[in-house]
Amino acid sequence: MKRLKSKNVYRFPIVMNRDTKITYDASPAHKGRLKNAVDFIVPEGTCVRAAFDGKIIDVKQDSDIGGNDESFDKHGNYIEIEHSNEEYSIYEHIRKNGSIVKIGDIVKEGQSIGFSGNTGWMGGLGPHLHFDVHIYFGEGPEDYETIKIMWEKEKL
Ligand SMILES: [Zn+2]
């Protein structure tokens, strides 16, 4: 029943260079249903790209507040994309007014969608982009679980 790994093959949501740090387990938020999430440690204003073709289904970009305590979670800006195979990706900690897409937009893999920031629950990592791929098992906004991401290395 449970899907362990993504069916879609995703591209990294930022342009990687030799110094870009990726971490799966440094964030205190990456437990439970978020255990397969990944953080890209990048400066504020880094261009964020769609990791796969899809449709923008949610955008929050009105916050300018971030901090290291979990209580900041609700202040995080994000962009969420619906993909094929009932998979969804999310890009979190987007800077204020940092989305260049809106709900309903169709995006192609690699297309720029916004700019990273420092909003929400940063978990002591400093500015970074949180990314995960998840599937929903119910109707509620919290009824989801992250899955392991299949990356297409050739697309780096
Ligand atoms: Zn994260």
Side-chain angles (χ1 to χ4, degrees):
M1 267 304 274
K2 260 189 177 174
R3 189 183 304 185
L4 298 174
K5 194 160 192 181
S6 68
K7 291 182 181 173
N8 301 329
V9 180
Y10 292 85
R11 181 198 295 240
F12 282 160
I14 59 162
V15 175
M16 304 290 289
N17 64 47
R18 194 179 300 268
D19 301 318
T20 308
K21 206 175 139 209
I22 306 177
T23 170
Y24 284 85
D25 59 5
S27 171
H30 292 194
K31 55 184 192 283
R33 65 173 186 236
L34 284 177
K35 68 175 187 292
N36 293 304
V38 54
D39 292 319
F40 296 86
I41 312 298
V42 289
E44 290 185 60
T46 299
C47 187
V48 176
R49 316 181 295 183
F52 195 66
D53 295 352
K55 183 170 89 173
I56 306 295
I57 59 158
D58 205 359
V59 175
K60 172 178 166 59
Q61 57 173 337
D62 61 354
S63 172
D64 203 18
I65 299 171
N68 288 325
D69 188 84
E70 187 171 358
S71 62
F72 286 93
D73 199 26
K74 62 179 177 292
H75 298 294
N77 295 327
Y78 58 84
I79 298 167
E80 184 174 17
I81 304 180
E82 178 180 10
H83 305 290
S84 53
N85 292 312
E86 288 92 47
E87 294 178 5
Y88 298 77
S89 63
I90 197 155
Y91 312 73
E92 295 197 18
H93 314 305
I94 298 297
R95 75 180 183 191
K96 189 177 186 187
N97 299 324
S99 176
I100 55 178
V101 292
K102 59 184 190 308
I103 294 173
D105 284 356
I106 303 297
V107 294
K108 301 298 284 184
E109 180 185 315
Q111 181 179 333
S112 298
I113 56 172
F115 298 94
S116 72
N118 198 30
T119 63
W121 180 20
M122 304 311 293
L125 299 183
H128 66 273
L129 176 73
H130 169 105
F131 176 83
D132 69 59
V133 174
H134 52 273
I135 53 177
Y136 287 95
F137 51 81
E139 293 301 311
E142 306 299 316
D143 294 340
Y144 69 87
E145 192 158 53
T146 59
I147 54 177
K148 281 204 171 72
I149 303 160
M150 186 159 35
W151 298 111
E152 182 154 328
K153 305 291 188 192
E154 300 91 295
K155 290 179 180 175
L156 300 185

